[in-house]
Amino acid sequence: MKKNVLWICMMLLLLVQAACSDSGKDAGDGSGDTNSDADTDSDTDTDSDSDTDSDSDTDSDSDTDSDSDTDSDTDSDSDTDTDSDSDTDSDSDTDSDSDTDADSDTDSDSDSDTDADTDTDSDSDSDSDSDTDTDTDTDTDSDTDTDTDTDSNACATSCGLEAEFPECFPLKLNNTLDAPRTDSAIFVDMAEIQAEYADFNANAFVVLDNCTELSSQAVDNDANGSADEIVFLSNLDASETRTVVVRYATSGTSARDYPQRAQALVSPKTGAGGSYQDVDFLDLTGNIDHDASFMRFEGPGWESDRVGFRLYADTRNGFDIFGKKKPDMMLQTIDYNDGDYSTVTDWGGDILHVGDALGPGGLGTYVNNAAVRISNEQTLTVQILASGPVYAALRMTYGGWSPGSGTYDVTADISITAGSRVARMIAKANNNIPNLCTGMPIHSDAAVVTPSVVGDWTYLATYGNQSLVPDALGIAVLYRTTDESQVTKDSNNHLAVLKPTDGQLTYHFTADWVQEPAGSANQQAFVSSLKATLAELDSPVEVAFP
């Protein structure tokens, strides 16, 4: 009996073991298939670069070795390329796919899930790129708005002039020179202003720099009664960009009171034995000969607070210099009938002997190896175009001038600005005049000076004890390098012979006297001053409407 019971127990034990063995074998086979798919998804989760719960799922499922590592690596490479751009949406995909694969018992289902992961991750990358582009556009618009607001705020500043000048616009000044500018004359064309602000009124305006009113004036270059440009003075630091504002009234006239720092005049005598009277226009046709009593200092004059010049408006047509020891306007006080012609007084005086030369910056033409001054013309007029406070200009008109190379009509517009010792000449001649020339008188005590470096502009100068005092005086003419035909001399002049373009030529001339309050003390200082002037001509101030 005991044996039977023992046998029965052994049989039951064998059956239980067999059953357990089959169950373990089936479970082992199924687990291998599942783990292989799980490993594939596990690699996918790892490559997604996503900081999500998928990492923990991967670790828990990857406890067994998989025979399908090769397939898993292939899927992983595909996912790596896709997932590299995604940082956000991969979290939900990872958890969902992991759960699905855990329930899957076959290889085919695993491959299908892997493809689905690739499609989903691709959509996620697209959304991420779209968000990036939107942020970039927003930043760009913000920068543009900031610049516009800055320019608009210039006009928003209250300076107490809004009632008188209710309209306003900004001007942006750019000093293109790596050096400061003092009393820089800024010219703005009226046509450009009215293209932006059609109601601008040149008879009622002010220019403000942070509520500081800058000296300004309207300029009528052709004497037709309408302004052609406005001009104002500004100080600019090296390479500085600065915004000023122009306030104006659309109608009426509002005269401003600024210090008189530049002027031009011609003053004939009125009647027999009369006094000098300043006029805006004077017809000198008839070849006025040398007559010191007909006009104050024998012709028109122009000056700044730094230097003065005059022109003999007779058969000589030479230029001369008034050296100034003080900044006041002095032309109206000069009367050579009441004093010595060359005596230097407390304000200064005539400091140069011109003789038969063109004079400093005088205009002529070069014929047969000599300069020919404008003289013996058929008609001659003088017109004052502007007389300060900032800018002064006059026009000489010569009709029927015959220097030996033809007959020409010539206009010479001469101007100067406050704070400067440099005058400008704009000459126009008809009939294809072959050349125009300018220069300065030859004096034995003055050396010729030329620049060591030449840019767009260059100069011809002399420096030495060539004043009537006598003491140190520098004289120079400055002109565009491309206009130069030759630098030479004749018996009276150091000459720059220049080529007009379409009959027109622009050049500048200057005088630097040692007794001027800010005059150059020596030749080195004079050359430094000329170098600075050339740099300003080469790099003009840029003016823009923001």
Side-chain angles (χ1 to χ4, degrees):
M1 181 68 180
K2 290 181 180 179
K3 290 181 178 179
N4 290 335
V5 172
L6 180 60
W7 183 84
I8 291 172
C9 289
M10 291 177 64
M11 292 294 294
L12 290 173
L13 180 60
L14 291 172
L15 290 173
V16 170
Q17 288 177 345
C20 289
S21 174
D22 290 339
S23 175
K25 181 179 180 180
D26 292 338
D29 292 339
S31 176
D33 293 340
T34 301
N35 289 341
S36 174
D37 294 336
D39 289 340
T40 301
D41 292 336
S42 172
D43 292 339
T44 300
D45 293 338
T46 302
D47 293 335
S48 67
D49 296 331
S50 174
D51 298 328
T52 67
D53 295 335
S54 62
D55 293 341
S56 61
D57 293 342
T58 299
D59 294 339
S60 63
D61 291 338
S62 301
D63 293 334
T64 63
D65 294 330
S66 172
D67 295 332
S68 58
D69 288 340
T70 301
D71 292 338
S72 174
D73 293 337
T74 301
D75 293 339
S76 174
D77 292 340
S78 173
D79 290 340
T80 299
D81 293 338
T82 304
D83 293 340
S84 61
D85 293 333
S86 174
D87 293 325
T88 304
D89 295 334
S90 63
D91 294 349
S92 61
D93 294 342
T94 299
D95 294 341
S96 173
D97 295 340
S98 177
D99 293 342
T100 300
D101 294 339
D103 295 335
S104 176
D105 293 331
T106 66
D107 293 333
S108 61
D109 290 341
S110 173
D111 294 337
S112 174
D113 290 339
T114 301
D115 293 338
D117 292 342
T118 302
D119 293 338
T120 301
D121 293 337
S122 175
D123 293 339
S124 173
D125 292 338
S126 175
D127 293 340
S128 175
D129 293 341
S130 175
D131 291 340
T132 301
D133 292 339
T134 301
D135 293 339
T136 301
D137 292 338
T138 302
D139 293 338
T140 301
D141 293 338
S142 175
D143 292 340
T144 302
D145 292 339
T146 300
D147 292 341
T148 302
D149 291 343
T150 299
D151 296 328
S152 299
N153 289 338
C155 276
T157 302
S158 176
C159 297
L161 294 170
E162 292 75 20
E164 186 175 358
F165 304 101
E167 304 300 325
C168 178
F169 62 86
L171 283 176
K172 184 172 288 186
L173 311 180
N174 178 27
N175 181 10
T176 60
L177 183 64
D178 187 21
R181 298 178 190 253
T182 301
D183 284 333
S184 183
I186 311 297
F187 291 85
V188 189
D189 188 79
M190 276 291 295
E192 293 181 5
I193 295 175
Q194 292 184 330
E196 301 286 339
Y197 305 93
D199 60 353
F200 177 73
N201 173 21
N203 295 317
F205 76 95
V206 292
V207 182
L208 302 171
D209 184 352
N210 292 326
C211 289
T212 298
E213 189 170 344
L214 305 179
S215 295
S216 63
Q217 74 183 81
V219 177
D220 180 5
N221 289 320
D222 52 13
N224 68 351
S226 298
D228 298 299
E229 55 190 348
I230 66 170
V231 58
F232 59 91
L233 300 178
S234 179
N235 297 332
L236 296 169
D237 292 334
S239 304
E240 179 185 13
T241 296
R242 175 177 296 184
T243 298
V244 300
V245 299
V246 179
R247 300 206 69 93
Y248 65 98
T250 58
S251 61
T253 299
S254 180
R256 310 301 292 174
D257 185 16
Y258 302 120
Q260 187 79 13
R261 298 179 61 195
Q263 69 167 343
L265 61 84
V266 60
S267 307
K269 278 190 175 179
T270 57
S275 60
Y276 293 119
Q277 180 181 0
D278 298 343
V279 298
D280 291 334
F281 181 84
L282 184 61
D283 189 343
L284 294 172
T285 299
N287 297 319
I288 301 299
D289 202 353
H290 186 183
D291 184 357
S293 65
F294 177 67
M295 288 177 287
R296 190 192 300 275
F297 45 78
E298 304 167 86
W302 58 100
E303 69 176 320
S304 71
D305 44 0
R306 303 290 297 278
V307 69
F309 297 93
R310 64 168 170 159
L311 184 156
Y312 297 110
D314 51 42
T315 55
R316 296 169 296 170
N317 199 59
F319 286 23
D320 205 350
I321 302 169
F322 291 126
K324 297 182 64 169
K325 297 165 66 174
K326 60 175 61 177
D328 302 341
M329 298 294 99
M330 302 305 304
L331 293 181
Q332 285 89 346
T333 69
I334 301 172
D335 185 351
Y336 287 137
N337 290 325
D338 296 332
D340 185 4
Y341 186 83
S342 58
T343 299
V344 174
T345 65
D346 60 342
W347 67 265
D350 181 331
I351 60 171
L352 185 68
H353 175 66
V354 175
D356 293 328
L358 295 172
L363 181 65
T365 187
Y366 191 66
V367 180
N368 297 325
N369 299 319
V372 180
R373 295 189 297 195
I374 302 178
S375 62
N376 298 317
E377 64 280 346
Q378 297 175 15
T379 61
L380 173 62
T381 62
V382 183
Q383 187 165 23
I384 304 302
L385 300 176
S387 190
V390 171
Y391 170 80
L394 60 91
R395 172 173 293 171
M396 302 296 299
T397 303
Y398 309 92
W401 171 44
S402 300
S405 60
T407 300
Y408 311 101
D409 297 329
V410 179
T411 60
D413 289 352
I414 307 164
S415 61
I416 197 166
T417 59
S420 175
R421 61 167 72 97
V422 180
R424 181 181 66 181
M425 166 72 79
I426 302 176
K428 299 177 183 178
N430 66 349
N431 294 340
N432 296 316
I433 192 167
N435 67 71
L436 292 168
C437 67
T438 186
M440 67 281 302
I442 293 176
H443 291 289
S444 59
D445 291 331
V448 175
V449 182
T450 56
S452 57
V453 177
V454 174
D456 292 337
W457 290 79
T458 188
Y459 64 78
L460 171 65
T462 57
Y463 186 87
N465 291 333
Q466 58 184 327
S467 80
L468 287 170
V469 175
D471 57 7
L473 172 65
I475 304 171
V477 291
L478 306 97
Y479 52 89
R480 289 186 178 90
T481 306
T482 54
D483 291 338
E484 182 182 297
S485 178
Q486 64 175 310
V487 173
T488 185
K489 66 179 181 178
D490 61 14
S491 58
N492 298 302
N493 305 277
H494 296 290
L495 294 169
V497 182
L498 307 174
K499 300 172 293 186
T501 300
D502 296 327
Q504 181 167 318
L505 179 70
T506 298
Y507 63 87
H508 302 261
F509 54 98
T510 185
D512 188 340
W513 185 36
V514 69
Q515 291 194 50
E516 176 197 336
S520 296
N522 51 48
Q523 181 172 321
Q524 182 179 2
F526 174 58
V527 170
S528 295
S529 175
L530 291 177
K531 182 179 179 180
T533 301
L534 286 184
E536 292 184 357
L537 291 172
D538 284 339
S539 303
V541 174
E542 295 176 345
V543 182
F545 296 89

